[in-house]
Amino acid sequence: MLHLLPKIFAAIGALLGAMSCYYTVYAIVGLFATRRFAPARRQHRYAIVIAARNEEAVIGRLLESIRLQDYPSELLTVFVVADNCTDGTAQAARSGGAVCYERCDPDHRTKGYALEYLFSCIARDYGTDAFEGYFVFDADNLLNRDYVSRMNEAFDAGERIVTSCRASKNFGDNWISASYALHWLRTVRMEHRARSVFGLATRIQGTGFLFASELVKNGWHYTSLTEDRAFTADAVAAGYPISYCDAAVFYDEQPVSLRIALRQRIRWAKGHLQAFAETGWPLWKHVFTSHDAPTAFMSYDMFLLVCPRALWSIFTYAARLLCALALWLFTKESFGVVGAALLAWAAGFGKRWLRNAVIALYVFLTERQHMPALPWYRKLWFAVTFPLFDVIGRISTVIALFSHVDWKPIPHDCAAGIDEMQTAKTAVS
């Protein structure tokens, strides 16, 4: 029986890999194409919602970038929820022209709870349908001057949920911030672009997205550690495509501390496991109960996205090694079986490292317009270290599986404005 267990694990892993082999098509299409939207016939009325906790240092810059939009200001209303703040976030938000609500509930501290409160305030004071759509941003974001105009083109084309291109405010700070930035741009090239071309549902990733007011007609009720993934899964199960607008670019601050990065990745991992537990079965069931093939495939595609396949990969390698040890200890097999298992693990690890380093170089080549000017040797260093991002993710998944995780804010202190972002891109090397 011990001889069979590694083979069983490997067979299931191979099945999961086969189920997602079409991702290669996404990568190829994303190299050459993305969906483009025609000029909008009408300018729609939007609300911009921002959940902020102790973001006094950066929120003013976001609000400034919103004021600088080339979109009619009378069609944009900015709402901020100052959530459990102990600094001057609320005052900074009001000084920047936002409608600010203050919330104090230390027992419910996720971004999802803050948004739930904010949407309830908007419904009470304005009415949810007072706005045709809602943008969601984090306080550390910055928007290109044409951001809302470009997203309006997608919304005017009939898209009900749209995400956008996420660039980095502090790409070159160190290998950690660079890895995050490469991760977001990898998703653009290898997922978002192709799914938009095929009219499928890509994934919402925390911030920088727009959705129609009909999706929150009964309020916002996504309060888990990763509210974005739960929102995405529910939308797909309801039959909503999620498009991508490559022309709409915003900037996001990345962690530079390994301790902060690990804390954030553990929270993401825990939230992803929770999202799979909550939405995995409904999505899988929807594959077989949908009335049309595109909707069924969107559910299948999203099921694979929320499925913790990395966890299965970890278990597979662990099972192989443990079974090899057991065979050596209890059946007097040669110690060579343990060595073979270790060599197999090392080969797999090396293969993944090389693949991710090559992907990083690919992103540097294809997404250089969304990066600051960097010397070639720094790009090479960031490509070589980028695989650590996925290693940290796998470690975080194991930790999250066996631990209780609380939501904690990620500190932001990069006070650069949108003009600095534009300047940094003018001399791309």
Side-chain angles (χ1 to χ4, degrees):
M1 183 63 181
L2 286 174
H3 286 88
L4 294 177
L5 283 177
K7 296 180 180 179
I8 293 172
F9 274 90
I12 296 175
L15 176 61
L16 289 172
M19 289 172 67
S20 60
C21 63
Y22 64 91
Y23 275 31
T24 304
V25 176
Y26 287 170
I28 295 171
V29 171
L31 176 60
F32 299 103
T34 188
R35 185 175 176 187
R36 308 293 180 184
F37 297 95
R41 293 165 296 178
R42 186 165 73 87
Q43 292 173 317
H44 298 265
R45 183 173 179 81
Y46 299 112
I48 295 174
V49 298
I50 304 161
R53 184 178 182 190
N54 291 339
E55 300 282 16
E56 179 184 8
V58 295
I59 194 168
R61 288 297 201 172
L62 167 60
L63 298 176
E64 178 187 44
S65 73
I66 294 172
R67 291 195 302 273
L68 292 173
Q69 290 296 297
D70 64 1
Y71 197 82
S73 59
E74 65 272 15
L75 296 179
L76 299 176
T77 305
V78 183
F79 295 96
V80 173
V81 53
D83 185 49
N84 291 290
C85 291
T86 58
D87 67 353
T89 296
Q91 181 180 352
R94 294 185 180 110
S95 297
V99 178
C100 183
Y101 298 95
E102 296 184 60
R103 175 179 178 270
C104 185
D105 184 353
D107 295 327
H108 300 92
R109 294 179 293 174
T110 69
K111 176 183 173 182
Y113 281 114
L115 290 176
E116 182 180 53
Y117 176 78
L118 181 54
F119 276 106
S120 70
C121 291
I122 294 172
R124 180 194 66 206
D125 296 342
Y126 295 81
T128 303
D129 57 1
F131 308 97
E132 295 173 78
Y134 289 86
F135 285 95
V136 178
F137 295 111
D138 289 340
D140 61 298
N141 296 161
L142 294 172
L143 316 182
N144 270 359
R145 282 179 168 81
D146 64 346
Y147 180 91
V148 174
S149 295
R150 301 288 79 77
M151 292 289 275
N152 183 65
E153 291 172 349
F155 193 84
D156 194 63
E159 298 300 325
R160 312 320 290 157
I161 312 175
V162 190
T163 191
S164 56
C165 182
R166 186 177 196 162
S168 175
K169 291 168 67 174
N170 59 329
F171 194 118
D173 281 3
N174 62 12
W175 70 268
I176 299 171
S177 63
S179 293
Y180 272 91
L182 288 167
H183 166 69
W184 302 126
L185 293 174
R186 171 179 61 178
T187 307
V188 164
R189 275 287 162 176
M190 304 188 74
E191 294 186 33
H192 292 342
R193 287 167 61 96
R195 286 189 173 111
S196 71
V197 169
F198 293 133
L200 299 171
T202 194
R203 53 173 158 167
I204 298 299
Q205 293 180 296
T207 183
F209 62 99
L210 163 68
F211 59 85
S213 60
E214 66 200 63
L215 277 91
V216 285
K217 62 183 178 181
N218 297 317
W220 176 275
H221 303 298
Y222 304 99
T223 58
S224 66
L225 293 170
T226 49
E227 75 293 328
D228 53 345
R229 186 159 289 207
F231 174 80
T232 299
D234 267 10
V236 171
Y240 284 94
I242 302 175
S243 194
Y244 167 69
C245 182
D246 194 62
V249 181
F250 75 102
Y251 300 86
D252 189 38
E253 183 178 345
Q254 314 306 331
V256 295
S257 159
L258 184 58
R259 179 179 63 84
I260 296 297
L262 184 60
R263 188 177 79 191
Q264 185 182 58
R265 297 301 301 277
I266 292 172
R267 172 170 62 82
W268 286 359
K270 191 70 170 184
H272 293 169
L273 293 172
Q274 291 172 345
F276 178 67
E278 294 169 1
T279 64
W281 172 244
L283 283 169
W284 184 249
K285 184 171 64 174
H286 200 247
V287 173
F288 303 98
T289 58
S290 298
H291 298 298
D292 61 273
T295 303
F297 182 77
M298 282 198 308
S299 295
Y300 173 80
D301 194 30
M302 192 54 56
F303 172 82
L304 290 183
L305 191 63
V306 301
C307 180
R309 289 179 293 159
L311 195 61
W312 187 261
S313 174
I314 293 168
F315 283 159
T316 298
Y317 282 112
R320 288 175 178 172
L321 182 58
L322 290 173
C323 287
L325 284 170
L327 287 168
W328 174 58
L329 290 172
F330 300 115
T331 64
K332 306 305 180 183
E333 288 268 3
S334 167
F335 186 74
V337 295
V338 179
L342 288 172
L343 285 174
W345 175 85
F349 184 83
K351 180 181 177 181
R352 285 195 305 273
W353 192 287
L354 179 61
R355 180 192 63 194
N356 285 328
V358 170
I359 287 174
L361 292 173
Y362 162 76
V363 172
F364 270 118
L365 289 171
T366 58
E367 291 293 322
R368 57 188 179 276
Q369 73 274 22
H370 297 134
M371 300 178 185
L374 293 170
W376 68 266
Y377 56 85
R378 294 201 75 199
K379 293 179 182 179
L380 182 60
W381 169 246
F382 290 151
V384 170
T385 54
F386 175 62
L388 281 170
F389 187 85
D390 284 345
V391 172
I392 292 171
R394 288 171 180 264
I395 294 171
S396 299
T397 300
V398 175
I399 295 173
L401 184 65
F402 299 105
S403 62
H404 173 77
V405 179
D406 289 320
W407 186 90
K408 295 180 181 179
I410 302 300
H412 299 120
D413 55 16
C414 179
I418 191 61
D419 290 337
E420 287 94 325
M421 296 300 102
Q422 297 301 313
T423 301
K425 294 195 302 178
T426 56
V428 176
S429 59

